[in-house]
Amino acid sequence: MSSVYDSFLKCLSEKTKTPQSQIAKIVFSQSNPSYTSVLRAYIRNARFNKSSTPKPTIIITPLSESHVSAAVLCSKPLDFVFKIRSGGHDYDGLSYISDKPFFILDLSNLRDVSVDIAEQTAWISAGATLGEVYYHIWEKSKVLGFPAGVCPTVGVGGHLSGAGYGNMLRKFGLTADHFIDAKMVDVNGAVLDRKAMGEDLFWAISGGGGGSFGVVLGYKVKLVPVPATVTVFRVEQLMAAGAVDMFHKWQFVGPKTDKNLFMRMLIQPVTRNKVKTIRATVVALYLGKADDVVSLLDKELPELALKKENCTEMTWFQSALWWDNRVNATQTDPKVFLDRNLDSSSPGKRKSDYVETEIPRSGIVSLFNKMIELGKIGLVFNPYGGRMAEIAEDATPFPHRNMLFKIQYSVNWKESSPELEKGYLNQAKVLHSFMTGFVSKNPRGAYLNYRDVDIGVNDHGENSYKEGEVYGRMYFGKNFDRLVKIKTAVDPGNFFRNEQSIPTLPIAKRTGVPEQGTAKRWSGAGGATVVASVLLHVI
């Protein structure tokens, strides 16, 4: 493969007008001593950190926009899948795996976060982490925040472009609801801002994922006001002590209560006194004081039995530390959010669902019993309502605004035995199948940023559109059609693709879209193929 490396390096050097010896510092072949550490740094799912996992031929770690443009232009003539990785938290590993020869464009060095307090905005580069975003906001202001995810090592590129969310979504909606501008590199290597890309493409990368359309370099976002004091609490109940009734009632309260309150519900099988049971845990953020949320839930959700001693008042930034399981959040050094925890992960699997109508009490009992029988897999319920329900379903590509709540199926394990792994993955499939009668239908919804290859993959052959429609309608509903038209217009040769990317329209259905002959098509014989994405894989 040295000839591929040499020709790629020569092309990069020419495009960037940089000596080869200098540009070589950002291009890693498999023979480079740093190759393994660069590859492993942002593998966030240990399932894909094995010697048997396919490895990229080359990893490019750009330091500038011009490096990204050159990487796209120099990759296009080569028969290599082009993967884009920001934080590596794509649950099925698709930003760093392919079953075809591939390159990785690793954006982790593009990590600038520039906060403008007067304007209450920030420019955030795709390779920055959420922890870095929160830290840099906190440095400048104690009463501004941003409504993004609770895991600090998640990369901005995938999280924001895929309509990321966090524990302020009922008050402020999704990350994508706060975009002002963006920068991306298109298939022609051009660097585009919102004005240059136009409103259609800007809409597409505001929740449709970046990797189908180009390489997102970053976003300009509007920050949101947060109170000087917020309240957090965690309350647990076991099945024998009211968990069924508490969970049943929570469904009617969580999505409809004061929009300043976000109550995540965790359902987990546990063993107590040698008996298997279910633990239901409410983890909450209230944008206000403890007395107010205790009074509110005393009326609305007495089954929770929330007391003031369960609550802790702190700043919004400290609440972000607390949600990251830092128990003494008020004493924690804020700089911990600058730690990227490189090359650290356990094996796991995630799936998703949406719920439109409350699950009956009998359904909850049967669900709890099923989870006890399976033994390991847990569920995370995230309530919507509030600001979410006020925004039109086609305002961004994210279509699930009017659901009551989203479910994440979650299983992690430590052992690396193939038999155990197969069993845990099967638990996820069995529970997902069990939930069919309780969740959204026609199509059954799924969340793009909980990437799940079980719901369908695309090998980008003759049936690319039909294959793409299967997962595409689950992720995007009616917005899928608009995404396909935009994809066909901006990348007609389908250079930017992955197992679950937005497909192009079949040639026969195109109107006014030039066919681009420069990007070669890869089609997989029986396996999925892939090219660029900020998130995604097939095992």
Side-chain angles (χ1 to χ4, degrees), residues 492-529:
N494 201 20
F495 172 70
F496 292 110
R497 62 176 176 264
N498 55 67
E499 289 90 341
Q500 289 191 338
S501 58
I502 302 296
T504 54
L505 280 168
I507 303 290
K509 292 189 179 178
R510 299 186 186 190
T511 53
V513 178
E515 174 62 14
Q516 185 179 348
T518 51
K520 179 164 180 161
R521 163 165 296 191
W522 294 276
S523 66
T529 65

Side-chain angles (χ1 to χ4, degrees), residues 405-425:
F405 43 86
K406 173 171 60 187
I407 305 175
Q408 182 188 76
Y409 299 73
S410 175
V411 60
N412 283 76
W413 57 93
K414 290 177 183 170
E415 318 88 340
S416 57
S417 135
E419 292 76 24
L420 284 168
E421 178 171 308
K422 188 177 178 186
Y424 293 136
L425 294 175

Side-chain angles (χ1 to χ4, degrees), residues 67-341:
H67 290 164
V68 175
S69 296
V72 169
L73 291 172
C74 293
S75 298
K76 275 168 65 178
L78 303 171
D79 281 7
F80 285 83
V81 170
F82 190 73
K83 291 286 191 165
I84 308 166
R85 180 169 78 174
S86 52
H89 273 273
D90 43 329
Y91 285 134
D92 271 350
L94 299 183
S95 61
Y96 49 85
I97 300 181
S98 172
D99 64 352
K100 295 286 184 293
F102 68 110
F103 294 169
I104 291 177
L105 182 72
D106 183 304
L107 301 175
S108 57
N109 290 325
L110 302 178
R111 58 173 71 181
D112 294 341
V113 179
S114 175
V115 177
D116 185 326
I117 289 303
E119 207 183 40
Q120 298 192 358
T121 62
W123 265 106
I124 310 172
S125 296
T129 65
L130 296 183
E132 290 163 352
V133 172
Y134 298 155
Y135 179 84
H136 290 301
I137 295 171
W138 170 84
E139 274 187 314
K140 297 279 185 76
S141 169
K142 306 302 180 269
V143 290
L144 287 173
F146 188 65
V150 299
C151 177
T153 56
V154 164
V156 163
H159 184 72
L160 268 63
S161 71
Y165 77 98
N167 52 22
M168 295 198 291
L169 93 164
R170 300 193 64 255
K171 176 75 170 184
F172 295 114
L174 305 166
T175 55
D177 298 329
H178 300 270
F179 293 173
I180 300 169
D181 202 346
K183 272 193 171 179
M184 71 176 291
V185 172
D186 73 2
V187 73
N188 302 311
V191 178
L192 309 174
D193 62 7
R194 179 175 184 170
K195 187 177 178 185
M197 73 178 73
E199 288 304 298
D200 272 331
L201 184 49
F202 182 72
W203 176 86
I205 62 167
S206 301
S212 293
F213 306 97
V215 183
V216 172
L217 298 169
Y219 291 94
K220 184 180 184 182
V221 302
K222 186 74 177 169
L223 303 179
V224 301
V226 291
T229 302
V230 305
T231 302
V232 296
F233 65 82
R234 174 187 294 266
V235 176
E236 297 179 357
Q237 288 187 10
L238 294 175
M239 202 167 168
V244 172
D245 289 332
M246 190 262 282
F247 176 46
H248 183 249
K249 181 71 173 292
W250 169 89
Q251 298 180 102
F252 295 85
V253 178
K256 296 182 177 71
T257 189
D258 185 329
K259 63 172 72 168
N260 290 297
L261 176 59
F262 176 84
M263 294 187 288
R264 169 175 281 179
M265 174 73 74
L266 311 173
I267 306 295
Q268 190 71 40
V270 294
T271 300
R272 292 289 181 271
N273 302 320
K274 299 183 180 176
V275 176
K276 289 181 178 179
T277 185
I278 290 291
R279 178 181 64 207
T281 309
V282 171
V283 188
L285 171 69
Y286 178 67
L287 299 171
K289 303 243 172 117
D291 283 337
D292 294 333
V293 73
V294 171
S295 170
L296 175 71
L297 289 176
D298 186 47
K299 295 187 195 79
E300 293 189 353
L301 191 58
E303 294 83 355
L304 189 61
L306 181 68
K307 298 179 177 60
K308 191 169 181 184
E309 53 263 35
N310 302 132
C311 301
T312 310
E313 292 183 339
M314 55 182 69
T315 67
W316 174 76
F317 181 81
Q318 289 167 341
S319 79
L321 293 168
W322 184 86
W323 275 77
D324 187 40
N325 297 318
R326 303 198 180 260
V327 182
N328 299 313
T330 54
Q331 279 82 50
T332 302
D333 183 347
K335 284 193 168 66
V336 299
F337 266 9
L338 302 180
D339 181 1
R340 293 187 163 210
N341 296 313

Side-chain angles (χ1 to χ4, degrees), residues 370-382:
K370 187 67 178 178
M371 292 176 72
I372 291 169
E373 175 196 319
L374 290 169
K376 178 78 171 172
I377 188 159
L379 296 177
V380 184
F381 291 80
N382 295 287

Side-chain angles (χ1 to χ4, degrees), residues 35-56:
Y35 171 90
T36 300
S37 61
V38 172
L39 174 63
R40 289 174 56 126
Y42 295 95
I43 290 179
R44 300 296 191 182
N45 188 340
R47 280 172 61 204
F48 312 119
N49 203 1
K50 302 169 183 170
S51 57
S52 58
T53 307
K55 306 292 189 291

